[in-house]
Amino acid sequence: MRQIYRAYPDEPVAQPQGRGILPFWVALMLGLTVLPLLMLAGASLGFSIVVALLAACTAGLLIMRWPVSGLFFCLACVLLIEQNPLQFHIGTDQLNIFYWPPNMAGMIERPIGFLMLFTLFMSICHRLAKRRPALEGGPLLWPFILFLVCVAIGVLHGLTTGGDLKITVLEVRPLWYLFLSYLLAYNLISQLRHVRLFLWFAIFGAGFKGLQGCYIYFFVLHGDLTNQNEIMSHEESFFFVSILLLIILFCLLYSYRPQLYAALAVLPVVLIALVANKRRADYIALIVGVLVAWAFVFYLKPQLRKPLLAGLVICTLLGVGYVLAFAHGTGSLAEPARAIVSVIDPSASDTRDQASNAYRNAENYDLKYTVQQNPLLGLGFGKQFLQPEPLPVLASDDPDFGGNPYLYVPHNTIYWIWMRLGPAGYIAFWFLLGSLIVRGGLIARQLQDPYLRLIAVYVIAITFMEVMVAYADYQLFFYRNVIYLGLLAGLLMRLPALERGRSAQQAAQKSMPTAPQTHAVLSEVS
């Protein structure tokens, strides 16, 4: 038997000749075997389906090995991929993540739902293998359970009084995704680098979508937004203003320079796409979010209160002056001012905003009337809300809702919850949001790490912004928005444990003797 000798212990052992070529031959044979099969599958099923299957298998293997990767896959889908195809196709709106292709439509769950469930399942398996509890619910578990119980009652009440099962599933799905994404984040975010990576995804995701918006604006529309209600999905504007909020927090609360500079680098394309997308509710939400952030910074940093007050006065004067100067102006520069004013008093020449306001007023009246007619349990899911004031038909070609989806899910999704669940479910909904905000405020006050404190304030402000947009623009029915909010809620609840874990690790490192000290102790013992 041949033996291999080493002159020095650190010298690498020479490998037998020929052994290193084995992986090459294995890879070559696999490639020659699999490639023809892939070509045949692509010819029969379609190459897009084959690519999707390969991507799904790759993602599945990564999630099986590192379940936290599934959380970031979900986050990437939320930030980069549209819920439905757009008027102007940009590639990402054609990816079947939030909807199935026509030949697979009708399944009870969407691809994003399967992704979250598989990630959660693998997380449970890893936790059980380490002899840990299968799942942890965190501080928001019971508020979520209370709300989901009310949702379940709304489902039963709707189905037993004539509600459609398919439409019921469609309505309940975003509420289920809110809870599922919360569980994912709370159980999978276990390190501080996960928190930083989360924000990196948000920044570069907004930059990528901003580039897509600029492409549509400059190269497809050639800078002409005439007769365009929006150029991208409604949700996109919310992610854009979220980045603006983040930049403001970096400037006011804690300047983490790498992410601040990255956010400033993508800011130009984000602003162009935001203005071109014409979603006026998001401007109001941004103002509310900034005020919430300002209030927290004012409380958390007493030494900055005088500059903060001076800055608030200056920004208020500049903002009011801008709105008054450009409220009835033309061009892209005046678009935010027109959008803010049009929420209250659209100009006589702005027929689009006038019609939109009139529709929403009539819709809110119908929702309140429906609540009055169903004062105890609400209307339940799966049925059209009552229309004492008839609404114009906005769409009639949505097969999922049997034609017009706006008669089931109104613009005002806050009233939608009230109308579906009645007073008990409505209170449970606000209890959930209130628990998120109050606990988030306590966490922000207790945290010592400035970066984690910034994250806490960001999540609280985003929650307020979510509610503001939900009063006007389907916010609680958009999968991307509710999943993002759920992930942020789980992340927020994990921050105290992350800070305690890092403090304990630092204390342990300080208590460990250095190498010379260890040598001295061993010598003394001997």
Side-chain angles (χ1 to χ4, degrees), residues 72 75 87 128 173 230 274 288-289 341 443 469 480 488 497:
F72 287 103
L75 179 61
Q87 176 186 1
L128 291 177
R173 182 178 286 127
E230 67 271 337
L274 172 64
V288 172
V341 173
I443 290 172
V469 182
R480 297 171 66 193
L488 286 176

Side-chain angles (χ1 to χ4, degrees), residues 394-414:
L394 297 183
S396 58
D397 57 352
D398 191 327
D400 290 335
F401 286 90
N404 189 354
Y406 303 100
L407 300 182
Y408 295 90
V409 183
H411 290 77
N412 189 333
T413 45
I414 299 295

Side-chain angles (χ1 to χ4, degrees), residues 275-505:
V275 172
N277 208 34
K278 294 184 176 181
R279 306 315 307 168
R280 50 185 180 157
D282 293 288
Y283 293 112
I284 304 297
L286 176 60
I287 295 173
V288 172
V290 171
L291 290 175
V292 171
W294 182 92
F296 271 93
V297 176
F298 187 85
Y299 174 76
L300 295 173
K301 288 198 168 185
Q303 69 276 17
L304 295 181
R305 287 178 180 176
K306 289 184 179 180
L308 285 171
L309 286 173
L312 178 64
V313 172
I314 294 172
C315 291
T316 301
L317 293 175
L318 291 176
V320 171
Y322 162 75
V323 171
L324 293 177
F326 291 93
H328 302 290
T330 58
S332 299
L333 181 61
E335 177 61 32
R338 291 198 306 269
I340 293 172
V341 173
S342 67
V343 173
I344 303 172
D345 183 26
S347 64
S349 60
D350 195 343
T351 57
R352 169 184 174 271
D353 288 339
Q354 283 189 339
S356 179
N357 286 6
Y359 184 94
R360 282 169 168 77
N361 291 335
E363 188 180 63
N364 288 341
Y365 176 82
D366 290 343
L367 292 172
K368 292 177 182 178
Y369 179 82
T370 304
V371 170
Q372 293 172 357
Q373 302 304 309
N374 302 271
L376 295 179
L377 296 177
L379 185 64
F381 289 99
K383 298 182 288 184
Q384 295 184 8
F385 57 84
L386 305 179
Q387 294 184 61
E389 186 168 337
L391 299 172
V393 177
L394 297 183
S396 58
D397 57 352
D398 191 327
D400 290 335
F401 286 90
N404 189 354
Y406 303 100
L407 300 182
Y408 295 90
V409 183
H411 290 77
N412 189 333
T413 45
I414 299 295
Y415 281 6
W416 169 61
I417 297 291
W418 187 18
M419 177 265 296
R420 291 301 185 199
L421 303 182
Y426 197 50
I427 292 172
F429 169 74
W430 283 112
F431 177 67
L432 172 61
L433 292 181
S435 299
L436 172 58
I437 293 170
V438 172
R439 288 186 177 275
L442 295 174
I443 290 172
R445 187 182 66 177
Q446 295 168 359
L447 290 172
Q448 300 300 316
D449 185 278
Y451 185 80
L452 296 184
R453 179 179 285 182
L454 179 145
I455 298 295
V457 175
Y458 173 75
V459 177
I460 297 168
I462 286 292
T463 305
F464 276 90
M465 293 167 62
E466 183 82 15
V467 171
M468 291 303 301
V469 182
Y471 269 106
D473 212 5
Y474 303 109
Q475 194 77 351
L476 298 179
F477 190 69
F478 289 145
Y479 301 153
R480 297 171 66 193
N481 289 129
V482 295
I483 293 174
Y484 190 66
L485 179 63
L487 292 176
L488 286 176
L491 183 151
L492 173 62
M493 296 299 119
R494 287 293 298 169
L495 295 182
L498 295 181
E499 186 174 68
R500 288 194 300 269
R502 188 178 68 170
S503 300
Q505 184 179 9

Side-chain angles (χ1 to χ4, degrees), residues 198-220:
F198 195 103
L199 276 200
W200 281 119
F201 269 72
I203 293 169
F204 286 116
F208 179 77
K209 303 309 288 186
L211 288 173
Q212 288 183 315
C214 289
Y215 164 76
I216 296 173
Y217 178 64
F218 289 112
F219 296 99
V220 177

Side-chain angles (χ1 to χ4, degrees), residues 88-382:
F88 307 106
H89 296 318
I90 51 177
T92 51
D93 66 316
Q94 302 294 300
L95 299 178
N96 298 119
I97 298 296
F98 295 97
Y99 65 95
W100 290 106
N103 59 341
M104 300 178 66
M107 297 187 67
I108 192 170
E109 190 53 276
R110 304 292 172 97
I112 187 66
F114 283 124
L115 174 60
M116 289 193 289
L117 288 172
F118 180 71
T119 302
L120 192 63
F121 173 74
M122 294 311 305
S123 173
I124 293 173
C125 292
H126 277 250
R127 293 173 67 90
L128 291 177
K130 297 176 181 178
R131 300 183 182 276
R132 297 172 57 190
L135 283 177
E136 296 179 43
L140 295 183
L141 177 61
W142 287 110
F144 262 113
I145 288 178
L146 177 61
F147 176 63
L148 291 177
V149 167
C150 293
V151 171
I153 294 174
V155 169
L156 294 175
H157 177 54
L159 293 177
T160 55
T161 55
D164 183 272
L165 176 60
K166 180 181 178 181
I167 295 175
T168 297
V169 172
L170 291 172
E171 288 193 87
V172 172
R173 182 178 286 127
L175 306 178
W176 161 243
Y177 284 173
L178 178 65
F179 176 61
L180 193 58
S181 56
Y182 165 77
L183 282 182
L184 280 178
Y186 190 79
N187 285 275
L188 288 173
I189 293 179
S190 58
Q191 301 179 27
L192 291 176
R193 61 189 179 93
H194 295 159
V195 180
R196 293 193 190 275
L197 186 59
F198 195 103
L199 276 200
W200 281 119
F201 269 72
I203 293 169
F204 286 116
F208 179 77
K209 303 309 288 186
L211 288 173
Q212 288 183 315
C214 289
Y215 164 76
I216 296 173
Y217 178 64
F218 289 112
F219 296 99
V220 177
L221 298 176
H222 305 289
D224 183 11
L225 295 175
T226 306
N227 299 323
Q228 296 295 332
N229 291 334
E230 67 271 337
I231 64 171
M232 306 180 76
S233 63
H234 289 207
E235 315 95 275
E236 226 61 75
S237 292
F238 185 80
F239 293 119
F240 290 152
V241 297
S242 300
I243 293 301
L244 300 183
L245 171 69
L246 186 61
I247 292 174
I248 293 171
L249 279 173
F250 278 137
C251 295
L252 292 179
L253 190 57
Y254 174 67
S255 178
Y256 181 59
R257 293 184 178 181
Q259 291 183 338
L260 172 60
Y261 293 158
L264 291 175
V266 305
L267 182 60
V269 294
V270 166
L271 287 176
I272 293 172
L274 172 64
V275 172
N277 208 34
K278 294 184 176 181
R279 306 315 307 168
R280 50 185 180 157
D282 293 288
Y283 293 112
I284 304 297
L286 176 60
I287 295 173
V288 172
V290 171
L291 290 175
V292 171
W294 182 92
F296 271 93
V297 176
F298 187 85
Y299 174 76
L300 295 173
K301 288 198 168 185
Q303 69 276 17
L304 295 181
R305 287 178 180 176
K306 289 184 179 180
L308 285 171
L309 286 173
L312 178 64
V313 172
I314 294 172
C315 291
T316 301
L317 293 175
L318 291 176
V320 171
Y322 162 75
V323 171
L324 293 177
F326 291 93
H328 302 290
T330 58
S332 299
L333 181 61
E335 177 61 32
R338 291 198 306 269
I340 293 172
V341 173
S342 67
V343 173
I344 303 172
D345 183 26
S347 64
S349 60
D350 195 343
T351 57
R352 169 184 174 271
D353 288 339
Q354 283 189 339
S356 179
N357 286 6
Y359 184 94
R360 282 169 168 77
N361 291 335
E363 188 180 63
N364 288 341
Y365 176 82
D366 290 343
L367 292 172
K368 292 177 182 178
Y369 179 82
T370 304
V371 170
Q372 293 172 357
Q373 302 304 309
N374 302 271
L376 295 179
L377 296 177
L379 185 64
F381 289 99

